[in-house]
Amino acid sequence: MKILKKIRNFVVALFKHTSKGMPKASQFTINTRFGICYSCDSFNTKHLPAMECSECGCNISKEKEFMNKLAWQDQKCPLGKW
């Protein structure tokens, strides 16, 4: 994925997330989303230990951290899987 597209996707997601009050997902939701992502063909592990979605370029982790799309309650999978 091109870096400019990845940056654009993150900025758009961050804007939407902050405009909704930055809701955080529960650990159960993060784990559920991670399991769905892990089994997806777009799950990219080329740059371990970092993992990302090849569709949107977002970081994927089981941890509750700021740069983790799975931890943002208001976000959606670009393929509609969660």
Side-chain angles (χ1 to χ4, degrees):
M1 167 171 281
K2 296 186 181 196
I3 190 71
L4 292 178
K5 183 178 179 185
K6 186 175 180 176
I7 291 169
R8 180 195 168 280
N9 287 348
F10 177 74
V11 169
V12 169
L14 180 61
F15 177 77
K16 289 178 181 179
H17 183 60
T18 55
S19 70
K20 293 180 180 176
M22 299 179 74
K24 296 177 183 172
S26 68
Q27 191 61 53
F28 177 80
T29 299
I30 294 169
N31 292 344
T32 301
R33 290 175 174 182
F34 184 86
I36 293 167
C37 292
Y38 188 79
S39 65
C40 179
D41 291 337
S42 294
F43 186 75
N44 184 353
T45 59
K46 287 181 186 176
H47 307 289
L48 287 174
M51 296 173 276
E52 67 181 22
C53 173
S54 296
E55 288 295 315
C56 63
C58 291
N59 294 327
I60 296 174
S61 170
K62 284 186 178 181
E63 306 298 319
K64 278 190 161 191
E65 49 188 65
F66 177 70
M67 299 288 285
N68 178 16
K69 182 176 187 173
L70 305 182
W72 296 2
Q73 182 63 41
D74 59 307
Q75 298 299 299
K76 295 186 179 0
C77 169
L79 299 175
K81 294 186 176 189
W82 49 263

